[in-house]
Amino acid sequence: MPIKASGKGDKSLPAKVVFSRSLEYFYKLAKEEISKGCGSWHDDEVKWVLTVPAIWGDRARQFMKEAAFEAGMAGRLNPGGFEIALESEGAALACRNKLMHVWRNCGQPPVLRYAVVDCGGGTIDITVHDLEMSSSNVKEVHRASGGAWGGSYVDQNIKKLVQRILGDKVSRKLTDDDWLRFTRQSIEKAKQSIVDDTDQVFFDVPNEMHMAISECGSTLEEAAKSVSGVKARRGRLSLDVKLVEDCFKESLDNISQHVHELVRVVTGIRCILVVGGFAESPFLIKRME
């Protein structure tokens, strides 16, 4: 049975169509950027590498490969011009040169065993590699593991908290598109504003949310009173940082528990590298320390 992707109004398309069209769009943008910097070029001069989460199985990786072929990223004219790579492998290689410089200057043993915790929006991928200083070769020691505990997991928890503040009646008036915009604009902006000494986290309230509240005969100020630690200030929601931190807790607990178990099972790990967009979160940094 073909996998389907659902959208607004219960409409659906084969998932491969959705993914291939998305890849086709980014493929077009990438080619335009290459042309700006390099002028004329040929497809056989470029190798396209598509990264996927390390915890994905063979079926999911094959699905992405087929979607990439349909998008035109690879084909018979350039059979060696496309490759699927694991996100964690890319992170491990990106960290290699920095590690080699630091490790050599410290006069350490010729082989460094290190773990990479790749914290993305959807998944957390964790791998362990050995780096041989003499050859610069990287060898995988432990297969990739992890789970769906990334930034999107936190976004969903924050969304649930905001829905609790607004109430069921207002929340139901907002469409999926409304919530998607709120996530991309308000939640992401709020997460990026958090630093070590933050005590209040502000969330912009979009017009459609203000309208839904008004249509239900209420105000943002009244809605804010429904949850302790929440206030309405100049058309925005102000949340105690503890409320927001609680939205991270389940994700951080899973990551921390998994890393602890990995260190117990795989001996000799000398350092742990935390990379990816989610790695910028001070809550995650504090927990990993």
Side-chain angles (χ1 to χ4, degrees):
M1 179 185 296
I3 303 172
K4 297 238 175 176
S6 298
K8 188 176 179 181
D10 293 328
K11 295 180 180 179
S12 65
L13 282 171
K16 192 174 293 182
V17 172
V18 176
F19 278 80
S20 65
R21 294 296 180 270
S22 299
L23 290 174
E24 184 179 4
Y25 173 76
F26 288 112
Y27 177 49
K28 179 182 177 182
L29 288 182
K31 290 196 295 183
E32 290 174 354
E33 288 300 313
I34 294 173
S35 296
K36 288 178 184 177
C38 302
S40 60
W41 56 282
H42 301 285
D43 282 337
D44 58 4
E45 298 177 297
V46 178
K47 183 166 188 174
W48 300 95
V49 180
L50 179 63
T51 60
V52 298
I55 62 172
W56 280 14
D58 291 339
R59 183 182 177 190
R61 297 176 194 179
Q62 180 62 29
F63 175 88
M64 290 302 294
K65 185 175 182 179
E66 292 172 2
F69 269 78
E70 290 188 13
M73 295 178 70
R76 290 176 297 176
L77 297 178
N78 187 20
F82 175 80
E83 184 176 344
I84 291 281
L86 304 183
E87 292 168 357
S88 55
E89 288 179 344
L93 291 174
C95 294
R96 177 180 58 183
N97 292 340
K98 182 70 173 178
L99 282 171
M100 289 181 65
H101 175 73
V102 173
W103 204 247
R104 281 173 174 167
N105 288 344
C106 294
Q108 296 293 339
V111 178
L112 166 64
R113 177 163 294 180
Y114 66 102
V116 176
V117 183
D118 186 5
C119 304
T123 62
I124 306 295
D125 298 322
I126 306 171
T127 53
V128 181
H129 292 81
D130 277 349
L131 172 57
E132 297 179 1
M133 296 299 165
S134 60
S135 63
S136 303
N137 289 336
V138 174
K139 176 184 176 183
E140 185 177 84
V141 176
H142 190 273
R143 64 179 177 80
S145 58
W149 315 314
S152 298
Y153 192 91
V154 175
D155 293 345
Q156 286 299 313
N157 287 336
I158 295 176
K159 175 184 170 182
K160 290 176 184 176
L161 173 59
V162 173
Q163 288 176 329
R164 182 155 63 94
I165 295 168
L166 298 179
D168 290 341
K169 190 175 179 180
V170 174
S171 296
R172 285 196 298 268
K173 274 188 168 290
L174 297 169
T175 66
D176 290 342
D177 287 343
D178 293 336
W179 284 112
L180 181 59
R181 279 192 294 273
F182 179 73
T183 299
R184 289 178 174 174
Q185 298 171 11
S186 300
I187 293 180
E188 285 304 317
K189 181 180 177 181
K191 288 194 302 183
Q192 291 169 13
S193 72
I194 300 171
V195 293
D196 289 338
D197 59 351
T198 297
D199 58 358
Q200 294 288 312
V201 183
F202 291 90
F203 291 83
D204 293 333
V205 178
N207 290 334
E208 55 265 23
M209 194 171 283
H210 280 292
M211 290 175 59
I213 294 171
S214 179
E215 289 171 3
C216 291
S218 185
T219 64
L220 187 63
E221 288 72 19
E222 286 297 319
K225 294 176 182 178
S226 63
V227 176
S228 177
V230 180
K231 296 178 181 178
R233 294 182 177 178
R234 296 180 180 179
R236 297 189 297 173
L237 285 173
S238 172
L239 277 64
D240 287 351
V241 70
K242 184 63 172 61
L243 282 174
V244 180
E245 188 174 6
D246 287 344
C247 295
F248 284 74
K249 185 178 184 304
E250 193 171 355
S251 175
L252 299 184
D253 285 347
N254 282 319
I255 296 170
S256 177
Q257 180 181 346
H258 198 83
V259 170
H260 276 295
E261 180 64 19
L262 188 65
V263 172
R264 185 186 68 81
V265 172
V266 183
T267 60
I269 296 176
R270 303 299 297 270
C271 67
I272 299 174
L273 303 174
V274 184
V275 302
F278 188 26
E280 297 178 356
S281 166
F283 299 138
L284 177 57
I285 294 171
K286 181 180 178 181
R287 178 67 70 91
M288 292 303 295
E289 290 176 343

